[in-house]
Amino acid sequence: MQPHRPPAIAFDARDLLIAQRTGVEWVAWQMLEHLPPQLPGVRRALVLDREAGSGAVQALARRGGYECIVLPPRWPRLQRMADGWMAWQIGPQLRARGFDLLVSVNTKLPLRGLPGVVTVHGLEWARVPADYTRSERLKQAAWLRLAAWRATAMLTFTQATLQDLRALLPRLRPPVAVIPEGVMPHVHPLPPAALDTALPARLGVPARPFVLSVCTLAPRKNLDGLLQAWALLKQQRAAAGQPLQAVLVLAGRSGAASSRLQARVQQLGLQPDVVFTGYVGDDDLVQLYHQASAFAYPSRYEGFGLPPLEAMCCGTPVLSANRGAMAEVAGDAALLVDPDDVADIAHGLDRLLHDPALRARLRQAGPRRAAGFRWPAFAAAFAPFLLQQMPAPQPGAPPAARPAWPRALP
């Protein structure tokens, strides 16, 4: 008689190895941090394609009771062309190690060997195609269609992304859980005594009020539109005899649009009024959220949009886009503008900086809205849905919990 074994779930944890974390990497960290208490009696593993360079991954594994499995890529050329590690290699290897299910933090799944659950963060490549190369769009489309064919279930974070997914794939077969992300644990209100008022100067920000925007410097984030709106607002205030005193601070990892944005600043004559800080670490970013006069995020498309929610949590008045997931997440706790209308963005920035009643309302509404987005709540909704996707249990194995259908946005 074969010994009974517990159900076993493996997680594609490669995003944990990225040092400069942005939204997707943070989602992976928090998902894996908060799921273990909701999966008692389930064998869990973090699957990596190389050894972790720091102790943070090992510490997470110890806290969550995860095994760490390192499977180096076998075919470097195939890995460069497409993710051969995911497509062909790890499915059979994980099956041979006794795993029943793979959870992917993106839309990629093995083509053989192991069923899986995929995460759809957003469909930027389909909704804003001009911001992606043709080869990138084809690659993303191929992975999504393969995932829709192979996955036992899908996870996404907003109803807006679910609608986009169903519009792109009308015959979508796998069940889709819609469960909101949470605010990161390190983002929370700070008392005045905890503010590092010297930080802006260290980042090159002049001693003036500033509007903050945090994102990867990529075209779909609409930073070009934000710069045009900032130039327009500056002109309007000067014409009215009320010069604009604030500066615009763009914080984020360099992307495809970085050099073009720098040139755009020169072209618009905004050199003294725009500061690029580059990537900002977690603690410094929380400081910037608190010290900013306002936060601006007029992105053309997001699958969720975490930075505005973080700014709300810190009590900073927020300007966001009036469409899709961004409007869904912000609710009435942000000033919503048309991201394709430069004049509307400029008007919104003006109100956010100079309308005391609006600022006071958003400072109250933001933290209340953000309080409804927590990672423990995410894990409590996702774990039973995940267990429902497990194959039939082995004889004598503990039964999987029945799923609670994912909650709606607060």
Side-chain angles (χ1 to χ4, degrees):
M1 177 183 294
Q2 290 186 342
H4 299 308
R5 66 173 180 82
I9 303 178
F11 296 85
D12 174 10
R14 291 175 292 173
D15 281 356
L16 300 186
L17 304 179
I18 297 175
Q20 294 186 352
R21 299 171 202 146
T22 56
V24 174
E25 294 83 44
W26 267 121
V27 168
W29 270 94
Q30 296 306 313
M31 178 190 297
L32 294 168
E33 184 79 55
H34 288 91
L35 271 176
Q38 305 293 337
L39 297 173
V42 176
R43 180 186 171 200
R44 304 179 291 272
L46 305 179
V47 188
L48 307 167
D49 59 357
R50 61 191 185 278
E51 294 289 347
S54 68
V57 175
Q58 289 86 345
L60 172 62
R62 288 193 298 271
R63 289 195 302 272
Y66 293 100
E67 304 171 37
C68 272
I69 299 175
V70 179
L71 302 174
R74 288 180 175 175
W75 308 288
R77 183 173 298 178
L78 182 59
Q79 185 64 20
R80 286 192 297 270
M81 290 189 301
D83 195 345
W85 181 87
M86 172 62 78
W88 300 105
Q89 180 179 342
I90 70 168
Q93 290 183 277
L94 291 175
R95 174 66 82 187
R97 286 170 165 81
F99 286 93
D100 304 299
L101 189 72
L102 175 70
V103 178
S104 170
V105 298
N106 50 50
T107 55
K108 298 177 180 179
L109 273 184
L111 300 182
R112 60 194 179 108
L114 198 67
V117 174
V118 298
T119 305
V120 182
H121 293 271
L123 299 174
E124 295 88 344
W125 55 272
R127 290 296 306 275
V128 196
D131 294 345
Y132 293 81
T133 64
R134 185 171 183 271
S135 61
E136 181 64 22
R137 294 197 305 271
L138 290 173
K139 187 187 300 184
Q140 295 276 11
W143 276 113
L144 180 63
R145 292 183 182 279
L146 287 169
W149 169 56
R150 283 277 298 147
T152 59
M154 292 180 162
L155 165 70
T156 192
F157 303 105
T158 60
Q159 292 291 337
T161 304
L162 175 60
Q163 293 170 11
D164 292 339
L165 187 60
R166 294 199 181 282
L168 191 64
L169 301 173
R171 298 182 181 179
L172 186 66
R173 176 188 54 82
V176 182
V178 180
I179 314 175
E181 299 175 15
V183 175
M184 299 305 157
H186 64 270
V187 179
H188 53 81
L190 297 176
L195 295 181
D196 180 4
T197 55
L199 173 66
R202 293 201 300 272
L203 294 175
V205 180
R208 292 157 58 186
F210 65 91
V211 173
L212 176 67
S213 188
V214 177
C215 61
T216 301
L217 305 185
R220 70 177 171 85
K221 300 296 185 178
N222 197 27
L223 293 178
D224 188 76
L226 180 58
L227 290 174
Q228 292 181 59
W230 194 252
L232 177 60
L233 177 58
K234 182 181 176 182
Q235 294 168 6
Q236 291 171 341
R237 299 291 296 184
Q242 300 173 330
L244 182 63
Q245 299 299 322
V247 296
L248 178 63
V249 175
L250 304 180
R253 193 167 62 191
S254 296
S258 299
S259 59
R260 185 174 60 80
L261 288 171
Q262 296 277 2
R264 190 65 165 149
V265 168
Q266 298 281 339
Q267 181 185 7
L268 293 170
L270 294 174
Q271 298 93 320
D273 304 300
V274 176
V275 177
F276 292 86
T277 67
Y279 179 82
V280 176
D282 303 334
D283 293 339
D284 287 348
L285 184 55
V286 175
Q287 289 282 342
L288 289 179
Y289 281 138
H290 281 82
Q291 298 183 48
S293 297
F295 183 85
Y297 201 81
S299 175
R300 291 193 182 92
Y301 181 87
E302 296 292 327
F304 186 82
L306 191 56
L309 196 62
E310 293 179 338
M312 290 180 203
C313 180
C314 299
T316 305
V318 168
L319 176 146
S320 189
N322 63 355
R323 62 178 60 165
M326 289 165 288
E328 183 180 341
V329 171
D332 62 354
L335 179 62
L336 303 181
V337 299
D338 182 351
D340 293 324
D341 187 337
V342 169
D344 196 28
I345 299 172
H347 180 62
L349 290 169
D350 196 17
R351 290 188 61 199
L352 220 57
L353 287 169
H354 303 111
D355 185 337
L358 175 64
R359 289 174 55 79
R361 181 182 74 79
L362 295 181
R363 284 190 180 280
Q364 294 292 323
R368 288 197 300 266
R369 181 70 175 174
F373 295 82
R374 290 289 179 262
W375 282 107
F378 167 88
F382 184 46
F385 180 83
L386 189 60
L387 291 171
Q388 189 187 34
Q389 315 313 320
M390 296 288 290
Q394 298 292 322
R402 295 300 300 167
W405 192 249
R407 64 189 179 95
L409 280 168

